[in-house]
Amino acid sequence: MSDKRVYLYDSTLRDGAQTQGVDFSAIDKAAIARELDSIGIDYVEGGWPGANPTDDAFFADRPKMGRGKFCAFGMTRRAGRSAENDPGLQAVIGAGADAVTLVGKTWDFQCKVALGVDLDENVRMISDSIAHAKSRVGEAMFDAEHFFDGYKENPEYALKCVRAAYEAGARWVVLCDTNGGTLPHEVTAIVSDVVRHVPGSHLGIHCHNDTENAVANSLAAVQAGVRQIQGTLNGLGERCGNANLISLIPTLMLKMGYETGVSANDLTRLVQVSRLLDERLNRAPLRNAAYVGEAAFAHKGGLHVSAVEKDPKCYEHIRPELVGNHRRILVSDQAGRSNFLARFREIGIDVDPTDPKVARLIDEVKTREFGGYAYDGAEASFELLARMVLGDVPEYYRLSSFRVIDERRWNARGDLITLSEATVKVTLDDGPHMAVAEGNGPVNALDAALRKVLVPVYPQLADLRLVDYKVRILTPEAATAAVTRVLIESGDSKGNTWTTVGVSTNVIDASYNALRDSITYKLYRAGVEA
């Protein structure tokens, strides 16, 4: 392989599982492992066999790898035991993985304080464990825990530990910034010394993000000679997280000219892989994530959009399509005519740029945003407003009135409960309708009552679901009389999502305005005629 080849090692399923609030099931792990393998990640670490029931179940039915190697993680033998007679080490070696990664101390302070082990015995623990794992599995790696801190305090001992692992047959000796406090210039200097003792072709880097430098430190290590990077999807990990592979992969390939197991075609699935993890964790993707976030290639300022329309390179460092993303033109009170025209093309509105209605729409948006609306985060509401001003959107129903009642009381079992009940009066082509529904909160009750009337007439609404609901107080100085903005994110069974906005001094009224736009947008996009 070329000296430009960098190997990628993903530890999401172990390091990522140490993130606060993250709890992978064996099924989650299998799905993520398959996805990592499918895009060409060289090593996928499955976890620590014997450490917990989830990892045991996962290794008992491990996913088949097509492109990468499935790894088991564990620690070196304990002091006073032989490698062959250490139950923990044997569990890792016997897990049926393609490779084994063993962690051991390389900081003399940790050996004395955390392990209470003799320094020379620690070196023997490293050497014996790596040699035994290599003889049994075929490929063994050594994670040199706390290496950078150890090197700063006692470089001779830290180097002795990594040399012992390499000489015992470790395919990769991985230098770990376990506490995450090392800076890029320190990484460069230290790695430049290490490569004089262990070839860079056998060195890896494992960085934590406690100073927001995990990605920078990983890149600095590669430039200094290492050829394996360990990291996690979306930077998951204990405390502040690990080096983010989602940011590292395109930077290595598109910016620095390195080769990885990820092809150019695989790279176009980067957004999909990042979102798959968030879906598994039931959390919203980070909008401003580098390369893959919704805002990564979003343009709001009028001058920016005007320039991007001429040549995207004016304000984009790569073509978004290379990583599976796309350009987004936002409209707001910061936008100029270029924003609106570009957004029209995105949503399929064909309009003459000189049409007076365009100027009228721009004024309308800026007036509404002054009143509290925010269309850069509510594209569906903007599209409806644009089509209403420039063309025609059917009136699918007319709301005559609604009433919402909240009741807080003790039930028959003595539990304190709060119930919401909504009554709606709606006019359709066949006349007026009224419906009553209860819900888990006033907005849910209002939605349920509307559906009772609308779904029989518009079955397309049956799979409409509310994904997220956000409320923001726009005039906090007014306290309980404040103007309120509500954003509702909706979705359907086909995976489509859209966001709508409503504003009012009454939170229920604002919620209804956003809900109305969501219903109307769903029907309009489905091609329904009133």
Side-chain angles (χ1 to χ4, degrees):
M1 297 300 294
S2 162
D3 181 54
K4 300 292 284 185
R5 175 69 156 95
V6 175
Y7 291 81
L8 302 172
Y9 183 111
D10 181 273
S11 61
T12 302
L13 304 181
R14 182 187 61 83
D15 269 334
Q18 296 177 22
T19 308
Q20 184 176 4
V22 169
D23 186 19
F24 294 124
S25 67
I27 294 174
D28 291 331
K29 286 197 167 197
I32 295 167
R34 285 192 293 267
E35 195 74 11
L36 290 165
D37 181 56
S38 73
I39 64 167
I41 301 299
D42 299 291
Y43 297 94
V44 177
E45 185 180 276
W48 192 326
N52 57 72
T54 299
D55 281 358
D56 290 344
F58 179 47
F59 275 85
D61 188 22
R62 53 157 287 190
K64 298 293 184 288
M65 307 295 283
R67 299 170 67 180
K69 294 183 178 181
F70 185 71
C71 304
F73 180 89
M75 61 183 290
T76 57
R77 69 166 176 83
R78 291 175 173 80
R81 285 184 177 270
S82 67
E84 295 82 358
N85 193 36
D86 186 292
L89 182 56
Q90 293 307 115
V92 176
I93 290 175
D98 305 313
V100 167
T101 301
L102 300 179
V103 63
K105 304 294 186 185
T106 56
W107 185 5
D108 59 350
F109 169 77
Q110 286 277 343
C111 293
K112 298 170 186 175
V113 175
L115 287 185
V117 67
D118 176 78
L119 296 184
D120 289 335
E121 169 66 357
N122 181 63
V123 175
R124 290 191 294 270
M125 289 160 58
I126 295 169
S127 181
D128 294 348
S129 301
I130 292 296
H132 181 59
K134 178 177 170 58
S135 70
R136 292 285 303 276
V137 179
E139 182 170 351
M141 290 169 262
F142 177 62
D143 271 9
E145 190 177 28
H146 295 288
F147 175 79
F148 289 94
D149 291 321
Y151 182 96
K152 293 174 193 178
E153 291 196 7
N154 189 342
E156 181 181 351
Y157 184 73
L159 288 169
K160 185 177 182 179
C161 291
V162 298
R163 278 198 306 266
Y166 174 63
E167 291 167 1
R171 170 62 185 92
W172 296 103
V173 177
V174 183
L175 311 178
C176 301
D177 184 28
T178 310
N179 288 354
T182 307
L183 301 178
H185 70 280
E186 295 175 301
V187 170
T188 298
I190 293 171
V191 172
S192 296
D193 183 34
V194 177
V195 296
R196 294 199 288 266
H197 302 266
V198 177
S201 58
H202 286 68
L203 283 176
I205 185 72
H206 178 113
C207 295
H208 285 256
N209 203 35
D210 297 72
T211 64
E212 199 71 41
N213 277 295
V215 168
N217 284 342
S218 301
L219 297 175
V222 169
Q223 288 184 302
V226 310
R227 285 298 177 266
Q228 188 207 83
I229 291 180
Q230 294 192 358
T232 61
L233 293 180
N234 297 346
L236 284 187
E238 193 173 25
R239 303 188 313 275
C240 304
N242 288 42
N244 186 357
L245 285 181
I246 295 293
S247 300
L248 280 164
I249 293 170
T251 300
L252 287 167
M253 295 173 63
L254 302 177
K255 304 283 188 179
M256 302 173 73
Y258 286 102
E259 303 167 18
T260 71
V262 178
S263 69
N265 186 58
D266 295 325
L267 195 62
T268 65
R269 295 179 52 217
L270 206 62
V271 170
Q272 173 188 330
V273 173
S274 175
R275 301 277 171 82
L276 172 116
L277 178 68
D278 288 326
E279 284 293 325
R280 285 281 165 181
L281 297 177
N282 193 28
R283 68 180 193 178
L286 187 64
R287 292 180 64 88
N288 65 340
Y291 291 104
V292 298
E294 286 188 12
F297 301 95
H299 305 282
K300 183 173 179 178
L303 289 175
H304 289 205
V305 174
S306 178
V308 166
E309 286 288 286
K310 296 170 183 174
D311 191 327
K313 288 193 299 184
C314 289
Y315 286 98
E316 292 177 354
H317 64 108
I318 64 164
R319 289 191 295 112
E321 296 80 13
L322 294 176
V323 292
N325 212 334
H326 64 278
R327 182 174 304 114
R328 298 175 68 240
I329 304 300
L330 307 178
V331 292
S332 72
D333 60 356
Q334 302 294 317
R337 180 178 291 266
S338 298
N339 295 60
F340 286 84
L341 296 176
R343 186 75 182 111
F344 291 160
R345 285 192 293 273
E346 283 186 9
I347 61 181
I349 295 179
D350 185 16
V351 62
D352 182 350
T354 63
D355 190 328
K357 292 180 180 178
V358 174
R360 190 187 316 156
L361 176 61
I362 294 173
D363 289 341
E364 179 69 16
V365 167
K366 293 188 175 184
T367 298
R368 284 178 171 238
E369 292 223 338
F370 181 77
Y373 281 81
Y375 288 106
D376 61 343
E379 294 87 349
S381 285
F382 170 75
E383 180 176 341
L384 290 177
L385 177 62
R387 292 187 183 280
M388 288 175 183
V389 173
L390 300 175
D392 182 41
V393 175
E395 186 179 34
Y396 296 106
Y397 72 94
R398 180 173 298 171
L399 181 73
S400 302
S401 67
F402 73 77
R403 180 177 60 189
V404 178
I405 300 173
D406 281 353
E407 181 185 9
R408 187 172 185 263
R409 61 177 173 81
W410 300 92
N411 65 13
R413 291 181 297 182
D415 298 325
L416 183 63
I417 61 172
T418 302
L419 295 176
S420 295
E421 179 186 288
T423 303
V424 296
K425 294 181 180 180
V426 175
T427 301
L428 298 172
D429 286 344
D430 61 351
H433 297 257
M434 187 177 76
V436 180
E438 290 184 343
N440 181 23
V443 178
N444 180 242
L446 187 57
D447 178 46
L450 284 169
R451 287 171 185 264
K452 281 188 175 182
V453 175
L454 298 178
V455 170
V457 180
Y458 302 115
Q460 296 86 352
L461 296 175
D463 70 341
L464 172 66
R465 58 190 178 90
L466 302 186
V467 177
D468 200 4
Y469 174 84
K470 298 185 179 72
V471 177
R472 182 177 177 187
I473 303 302
L474 302 179
T475 51
E477 67 278 359
T480 54
V483 174
T484 304
R485 176 198 297 153
V486 169
L487 286 173
I488 290 179
E489 183 181 353
S490 305
D492 61 22
S493 59
K494 296 180 180 178
N496 300 312
T497 60
W498 60 95
T499 303
T500 52
V501 61
V503 174
S504 174
T505 54
N506 182 296
V507 66
I508 306 302
D509 189 47
S511 301
Y512 170 74
N513 292 337
L515 181 61
R516 177 200 59 213
D517 275 8
S518 178
I519 292 170
T520 302
Y521 183 82
K522 165 70 172 173
L523 294 174
Y524 184 85
R525 278 296 184 178
V528 177
E529 296 183 0

